[in-house]
């Protein structure tokens, strides 16, 4: 069948542009169609290990060095956008009006510079424009400020008609147009109401003049922390919500004075107030939270606040005859834990392989994309459990402090090894099959999707927390159960201290801890965990750590 393109992608945001680059790199005829034009405001700024790890993997597998540059803070800052911020850690500061402010009620997880850190605070308008233009460099077409008014999903081809009556035909349609996905609307794919348990709404903007939290604390309020709070993605957490503070101006090379700020609230407790602007609502919230307010004295927003009455939406299916929904178009939970971009990278990886095969064999049967759908649904469902559990746990620091570790183990300690192993194998063999099957896992979308012991810990922790919500278990009992689960699971090296609830801060900068964890994984861990370390070459690991230590020294 003769068509204008092999693949048309609605949306040239991060997911559409990454996919377009990969497909074009492999010789497909691709067009991105965007209702807006670059550069444009986009949200989703804080990266995590899975974001950068998957991006590096995509760069290696498809031989796209630009992705590899974007995957590290230093590479992105030097080659792509000087306006990004540094993310040396995740920081959670717990606020509880029933006690005086005290930094003892905080958690910090430093992203190990020895293994892969730091992460970044992406100034999305620069990053998204860059990736869209890279896609064009590799051969994709980009049509901006063009809206599609009609989509015909025919038997042999898809026909799109734009509001300028331009006809575009393709063999397959990817809808990466975000929450207002035209295909989701046309095919009635959204769950109504959403199946998500999480309830949160958001007001967010970019501001100038936000002060480092480190600078507004005085006297005994100050307590030592591994890295400055301002060089972390800072989460002020409290019963019923949380506030993100994501600075772009938090390192010596930054050329961007802005800071991203967003307040999430449970709308069942705090419905959108009538006759009040988001800015007025934010200022009123600050008045109630004077310690946080200090950060914002003299700060001003540089753009309109955005208000989203409920963040969660989900889709029954993300695939169908000659189409799929990708990334933000398929569903969303909440920015807590910054899982959005990471999920997007995994989805792009899963879809790329399947779509390239489908194009080659000219067979777009829906069954070819089932694994991709399972991944996207799994990402949404697990993220929902993660965020909903965290929101419940915010009511009690000890409960949060226990659940925080369940997240850390999946986020930073376990799945990282799976990605690393595949990369070492690829470097050794140059065979891209090292990256195949990453989505064919027993628990798609779980932070560590192939580890039964982690799945058990996860299920039990979530069940305990949900029992607290239903009033069937006290927060104290749930905390004790989660801690017991952590201690008996034996899935992380004791050197990391994650099973000790009295340790609140985790400093990933110790070479000794990293080596000790490596030795534990190779020699003393339970069998399934040993398997995770088995393919990691000791020499390669040491070289990687040494390189990273030298880079960290140069950075400082
Ligand atoms: C409040 C909030 C905060 C977030 N924070 C984080 C975070 O800190 N870390 C993280 O990892 N993730 C975060 N996310 C998630 C992150 O934003 C998404 O994972 C990511 O942006 C997905 O990219 P995307 O390309 O799928 O969608 P988008 O970035 O939404 O891009 C959609 C594209 O489609 C275009 N478009 C829209 N309508 C049409 C149409 N009808 N036709 C054609 N084109 C159209 C748009 O112009 C845009 O270019 C956050 C999300 C929200 C809502």
């Amino acid at each position: 069948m003769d068509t204008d393109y092999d693949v048309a992608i609605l949306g040239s945001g991060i997911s559409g542009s990454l996919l377009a680059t990969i497909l074009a790199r492999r010789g497909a005829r691709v067009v991105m169609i965007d209702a807006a034009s670059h550069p444009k405001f986009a949200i989703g700024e804080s990266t995590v290990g899975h974001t950068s790890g998957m991006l590096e993997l995509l760069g290696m597998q498809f031989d796209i060095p630009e992705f590899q540059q974007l995957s590290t803070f230093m590479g992105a800052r030097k080659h792509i956008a000087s306006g990004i911020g540094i993310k040396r850690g995740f920081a959670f500061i717990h606020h509880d009006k029933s006690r005086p402010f005290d930094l003892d009620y905080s958690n910090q997880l430093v992203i190990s510079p020895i293994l892969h850190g730091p992460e970044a605070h992406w100034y999305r308008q620069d990053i998204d424009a860059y990736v869209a233009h890279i896609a064009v460099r590799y051969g994709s077409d980009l049509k901006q400020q063009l809206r599609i008014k009609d989509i015909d999903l025919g038997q042999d081809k898809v026909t799109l008609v734009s509001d300028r009556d331009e006809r575009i035909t393709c063999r397959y349609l990817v809808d990466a147009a975000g929450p207002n996905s035209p295909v989701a609307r046309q095919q009635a794919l959204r769950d109504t109401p959403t199946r998500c348990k999480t309830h949160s709404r958001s007001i967010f903007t970019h501001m100038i003049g936000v002060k480092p939290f480190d600078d507004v604390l005085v006297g005994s309020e100050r307590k030592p922390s591994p890295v400055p709070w301002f060089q972390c993605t800072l989460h002020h957490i409290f019963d019923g919500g949380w506030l993100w503070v994501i600075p772009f101006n938090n390192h010596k090379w930054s050329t961007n004075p802005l800071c991203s700020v967003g307040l999430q609230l449970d709308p069942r407790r705090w419905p959108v107030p009538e006759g009040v602007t988001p800015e007025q609502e934010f200022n009123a919230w600050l008045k109630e939270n004077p310690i946080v307010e200090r950060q914002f004295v003299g700060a001003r927003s540089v753009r309109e606040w955005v208000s989203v009455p409920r963040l969660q939406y989900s889709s029954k299916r993300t695939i169908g005859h000659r189409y799929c929904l990708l990334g933000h178009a398929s569903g969303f939970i909440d920015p807590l834990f910054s899982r959005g971009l990471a999920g997007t990278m995994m989805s792009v990886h899963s879809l790329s392989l399947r779509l390239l095969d489908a194009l080659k064999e000219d067979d777009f049967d829906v069954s070819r994309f089932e694994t991709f759908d399972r991944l996207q649904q799994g990402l949404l469902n697990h993220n929902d459990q993660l965020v909903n559990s965290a929101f419940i746990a915010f009511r009690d620091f000890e409960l949060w402090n226990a659940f925080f570790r369940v997240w850390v183990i999946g986020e930073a300690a376990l799945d990282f090894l799976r990605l690393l192993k595949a990369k070492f194998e690829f470097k050794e063999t140059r065979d891209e099959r090292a990256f195949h099957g990453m989505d064919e896992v027993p628990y798609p979308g779980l932070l560590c999707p192939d580890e039964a012991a982690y799945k058990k810990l996860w299920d039990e922790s979530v069940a305990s927390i949900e029992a607290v919500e239903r009033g069937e278990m006290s927060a104290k009992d749930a905390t004790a159960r989660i801690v017991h689960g952590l201690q008996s699971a034996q899935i992380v090296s004791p050197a990391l201290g994650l099973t000790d609830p009295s340790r609140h801060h985790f400093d990933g900068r110790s070479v000794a801890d990293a080596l000790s964890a490596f030795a534990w994984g190779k020699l003393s861990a339970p069998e399934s965990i040993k398997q995770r370390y088995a393919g990691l070459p000791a020499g390669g690991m040491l070289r990687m750590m040494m390189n990273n230590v030298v880079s960290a020294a140069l950075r400082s």
Side-chain angles (χ1 to χ4, degrees):
M1 175 61 60
D2 211 13
T3 54
D4 301 323
Y5 293 98
D6 292 321
V7 180
I9 302 174
L10 300 181
S12 63
I14 194 84
S15 62
S17 297
L18 287 170
L19 181 71
T21 310
I22 292 167
L23 298 179
R25 178 80 182 91
R26 286 283 164 103
R29 298 168 305 143
V30 188
V31 62
M32 295 178 282
I33 302 165
D34 203 302
S37 60
H38 292 283
K40 62 188 154 55
F41 178 74
I43 200 75
E45 296 148 334
S46 173
T47 69
V48 298
H50 272 114
T51 323
S52 53
M54 286 304 298
L55 194 50
E56 186 192 17
L57 186 153
L58 289 169
M60 289 168 84
Q61 176 168 3
F62 296 105
D63 191 18
I64 302 172
E66 293 88 345
F67 286 2
Q68 283 169 270
Q69 285 171 347
L70 183 57
S71 75
T72 67
F73 164 74
M74 285 301 269
R77 183 199 69 75
K78 195 164 157 209
H79 301 286
I80 298 163
S82 59
I84 63 170
I86 194 168
K87 174 176 177 180
R88 295 177 70 193
F90 298 83
F92 299 89
I93 299 180
H94 191 251
H95 300 265
D96 182 342
K97 293 203 172 95
S98 68
R99 57 167 153 73
F101 173 76
D102 189 339
L103 266 184
D104 280 348
Y105 298 90
S106 69
N107 299 99
Q108 209 181 82
L109 172 67
V110 179
I111 297 156
S112 171
I114 301 159
L115 296 176
H116 67 100
E119 291 296 331
H121 293 159
W122 281 356
Y123 189 53
R124 282 286 298 273
Q125 67 173 50
D126 290 353
I127 302 295
D128 287 17
Y130 174 78
V131 183
H133 298 154
I134 290 301
V136 175
R137 181 192 285 172
Y138 280 95
S140 171
D141 280 353
L142 169 60
K143 293 176 188 282
Q144 305 195 70
Q145 298 206 313
L146 189 68
R147 273 190 185 274
I148 297 303
K149 66 176 181 190
D150 190 40
I151 301 171
D152 177 25
L153 300 163
Q155 192 53 39
D156 299 329
K157 66 176 177 191
V158 178
T159 305
L160 308 172
V161 182
S162 79
D163 53 5
R164 290 180 227 145
D165 287 330
E166 190 179 344
R167 258 176 108 255
I168 299 167
T169 56
C170 60
R171 296 161 73 198
Y172 194 83
L173 176 66
V174 176
D175 186 335
N180 297 319
S181 151
V183 173
R185 196 176 331 115
Q186 191 209 50
Q187 299 293 309
L189 296 174
R190 293 283 190 248
D191 292 317
T192 41
T194 174
R195 64 178 187 266
C196 304
K197 293 177 180 174
T198 308
H199 278 77
S200 60
R201 65 181 178 92
S202 182
I203 52 174
F204 54 87
T205 190
H206 283 170
M207 298 183 92
I208 196 158
V210 177
K211 296 184 174 63
F213 195 62
D214 316 73
D215 293 357
V216 300
L217 298 174
V218 291
S220 61
E221 286 169 356
R222 292 199 168 152
K223 300 247 163 97
S225 62
V227 295
W229 300 101
F230 205 52
Q231 289 194 321
C232 298
T233 296
L234 175 56
H235 309 71
H236 291 289
I237 58 177
F238 52 92
D239 186 11
W242 67 283
L243 172 75
W244 85 63
V245 181
I246 301 183
F248 303 110
N249 60 342
N250 60 356
H251 58 92
K252 63 184 175 192
W253 303 285
S254 177
T255 54
N256 185 348
L258 302 183
C259 178
S260 177
V261 177
L263 177 64
Q264 283 59 237
L265 296 168
D266 184 335
R268 295 167 299 185
R269 293 172 63 177
W270 292 288
V272 179
E274 276 181 35
V276 175
T277 66
E279 183 164 25
Q280 287 167 335
E281 185 183 18
F282 182 65
N283 288 335
W285 182 87
L286 286 179
K287 285 271 163 276
E288 297 278 311
N289 296 275
I291 291 272
V292 182
E293 187 185 25
R294 292 184 203 165
Q295 267 197 281
F296 294 91
V297 173
R300 284 187 300 145
S301 61
V302 297
R303 48 168 296 113
E304 286 296 298
W305 283 77
V306 179
S307 172
V308 183
R310 184 161 181 202
L311 286 168
Q312 297 72 42
Y313 56 93
S314 52
S315 303
K316 294 186 267 291
R317 290 278 275 170
T318 66
I319 54 174
H321 173 68
R322 286 191 184 263
Y323 74 80
C324 71
L325 310 182
L326 176 65
H328 223 171
S330 69
F332 186 66
I333 300 296
D334 183 284
L336 187 64
F337 301 110
S338 308
R339 296 291 306 160
L341 287 170
T344 295
M345 302 295 158
M346 293 178 210
S347 300
V348 167
H349 184 243
S350 173
L351 179 60
S352 306
L353 298 172
R354 290 179 165 71
L355 193 45
L356 285 166
D357 278 352
L359 290 169
K360 196 161 79 194
E361 290 162 30
D362 196 24
D363 174 3
F364 298 90
D365 195 89
V366 178
S367 61
R368 285 177 163 267
F369 300 92
E370 290 292 347
T371 306
F372 164 70
D373 181 55
R374 232 160 53 91
L375 172 68
Q376 294 208 119
Q377 302 290 8
L379 283 164
L380 192 94
N381 293 341
H382 284 107
N383 202 15
D384 188 30
Q385 287 185 318
L386 176 68
V387 177
N388 187 50
S389 300
F391 262 75
I392 299 167
F394 284 167
R395 66 184 67 172
D396 180 290
F397 177 76
E398 297 308 332
L399 183 57
W400 156 255
N401 179 48
F403 185 65
F404 162 79
R405 286 143 215 281
V406 178
W407 164 72
V408 171
I409 290 173
E411 176 61 53
L414 282 186
D415 202 41
F416 166 69
L417 299 171
R418 192 170 67 113
L419 263 59
L420 207 55
K421 205 162 152 176
K423 288 174 197 168
F424 273 121
E425 192 184 322
F426 179 77
K427 278 184 189 155
E428 181 80 22
T429 61
R430 308 312 293 179
D431 182 346
E432 73 165 88
R433 277 175 299 184
F435 300 131
H436 288 186
M438 300 212 65
D439 52 3
E440 285 157 15
V441 282
Y443 323 111
L446 182 65
L447 288 168
C448 181
D450 62 344
E451 179 59 57
Y454 183 70
K455 170 75 171 147
K456 180 169 178 287
L457 173 67
W458 175 272
D459 285 345
E460 289 173 358
S461 304
V462 169
S464 297
I465 290 187
E466 290 183 353
V468 173
E469 167 90 312
R470 291 192 302 272
E472 293 164 7
M473 195 184 288
S474 68
K476 196 168 171 217
D477 285 351
T479 305
R481 278 178 186 239
I482 295 172
V483 171
H484 175 73
L486 282 160
Q487 289 166 347
S488 50
Q490 296 189 346
I491 47 180
V492 279
S493 158
L496 302 179
L498 279 162
T499 53
D500 173 5
S502 69
R503 265 185 76 173
H504 294 173
H505 294 178
F506 299 94
D507 187 345
R509 290 172 302 168
S510 155
V511 178
D513 282 356
L515 289 175
S516 156
F518 187 61
W520 173 83
K522 284 273 190 196
L523 304 172
S524 331
E527 208 40 52
S528 72
I529 302 295
K530 265 195 194 146
Q531 289 305 320
R532 310 187 83 79
Y533 285 85
L536 296 175
M541 284 293 286
L542 278 175
R543 261 194 309 281
M544 182 190 83
M545 289 187 201
M546 288 311 294
N547 283 342
N548 290 343
V549 167
V550 171
S551 302
L554 290 176
R555 228 178 8 249
S556 57

